Amino acid sequence: MKHLLGKNNRNNDIIYVECTDKDIYKIEMIMKDDSLSLFLFEKGKGIHVIGEKEYSVEARQVHIVFPGQVQQLRLPESSLFHLILISKHRYAEITGGIQIPSVVCQKYPVINISQETFSLLTRECRDIAFEIIEHSCVMQYIVDTKTKIILQSISREIRRTSGDLQIYDQHPVLFMFIVLIRKHFKDERTVNFYAGNLGITANYLNVLCKKHLKQTASAVIDKVIIPMIKKDIMTSDDLLVNIAYDYSFQNYVHFSRYFKKYVGLSPMAYRKKT
């Protein structure tokens, strides 16, 4: 494994490694829960578990894992891939005007890349490999710039292949609706709250969601919240009643009914199953 950490790189805010299938167990040593992870698969096949779903690994793919997401990589065949870890706060600084809505990327975490774009990405990765070890502000700026080029290229590919982003581009209100849900998901589940913050009526927000997302505004809210609750149930040792209160449910019974409506299992049964 070509393991290159950015010494003097803002406490390793950006980490790059080039790996084969034999290096998977070593990756756990450098993976960070608060980092954005970009996997660029140059060759090989296998399975990548992101969140609760399994995704096939193919050549010329980018897999995106957001901070806090559970992931596991299984590569039974000879493989080669590049891994870039970007700390959460550094990612916000670098991206600037690059808009890659996390709600879209979590829905489509695997992006098939064209040969031309993938060649660009691997070239930039290998450049970073040499520049990230230099202890200078100039090299830090170059690493940031090349990382931004990689993110911009991925953003273009997502926009090319994702119908959801076309909706968000055409209707900024829907994009801001998702942003607000992800900000207030533990405290608010009512359409009225989000409509009020968007400066529109609940009825108009419902009309927009039904027309462009083919579901009610309430369903959109719940489809963002449920995966968050599932993750907390899976990864936390906290009592289920405490998780219920954390999500502002009045009592555990209400929480359990809400969860079972969408998952088909009670929180307790889901925790035992997983």
Side-chain angles (χ1 to χ4, degrees), residues 47-65:
I47 296 295
H48 196 182
V49 179
I50 303 176
E52 297 179 325
K53 293 186 178 180
E54 290 188 353
Y55 298 91
S56 296
V57 172
E58 302 285 346
R60 296 207 320 270
Q61 283 184 340
V62 170
H63 294 202
I64 302 176
V65 181

Side-chain angles (χ1 to χ4, degrees), residues 183-242:
K183 183 177 180 181
H184 299 286
F185 67 91
K186 284 195 172 183
D187 303 311
E188 297 290 344
R189 293 184 297 279
T190 66
V191 176
N192 283 333
F193 171 82
Y194 293 104
N197 276 269
L198 292 167
I200 59 177
T201 66
N203 183 60
Y204 181 59
L205 181 56
N206 260 315
V207 169
L208 282 179
C209 289
K210 287 180 180 178
K211 181 178 180 181
H212 302 291
L213 301 180
K214 309 304 179 187
Q215 53 191 325
T216 65
S218 181
V220 174
I221 294 168
D222 293 337
K223 285 190 176 182
V224 173
I225 294 175
I226 286 296
M228 302 293 188
I229 296 176
K230 289 167 77 174
K231 182 173 78 71
D232 283 348
I233 291 174
M234 280 196 309
T235 60
S236 170
D237 293 327
D238 205 358
L239 295 174
L240 292 174
V241 66
N242 290 337

